[in-house]
Amino acid sequence: MALVALFWFRVADPYATASRPYRVVDVRREHGDAATVELAADGHDGLHFEPGQFARLRLTDRPFGLDDHPFTLSSSAERPSRPAFT
């Protein structure tokens, strides 16, 4: 079971997410030290999610790196092609 989990998180999941890229379309300053980053799906329908869910973001130049980070989605679930994170 440990080998399956290792394969999933180090090979299968990064490969699947690398084939569904996004591009940054807007960065807005919010109150305090916060910022909102809005993405756009690049060649696919986007991420279908429920309110309160999070996504792990990773830079495209290192799809198999260990430096992805979880962020809560702050945009409407009715616009899956334009997710935003604050």
Side-chain angles (χ1 to χ4, degrees), residues 12-33:
D13 187 49
Y15 179 77
T17 57
S19 66
R20 295 176 47 138
Y22 289 84
R23 56 189 155 69
V24 175
V25 293
D26 191 20
V27 178
R28 295 183 300 277
R29 293 220 177 264
E30 305 290 352
H31 294 289
D33 292 331

Side-chain angles (χ1 to χ4, degrees), residues 32-78:
D33 292 331
T36 296
V37 176
E38 185 176 352
L39 306 177
D42 195 7
H44 56 90
D45 292 336
L47 174 69
H48 298 281
F49 62 93
E50 297 292 325
Q53 279 189 287
F54 73 95
R56 299 187 73 84
L57 300 182
R58 167 183 305 127
L59 297 176
T60 58
D61 63 339
R62 295 168 57 184
F64 295 100
L66 294 174
D67 56 350
D68 60 344
H69 300 281
F71 290 95
T72 301
L73 288 136
S74 59
S75 57
S76 171
E78 294 187 18

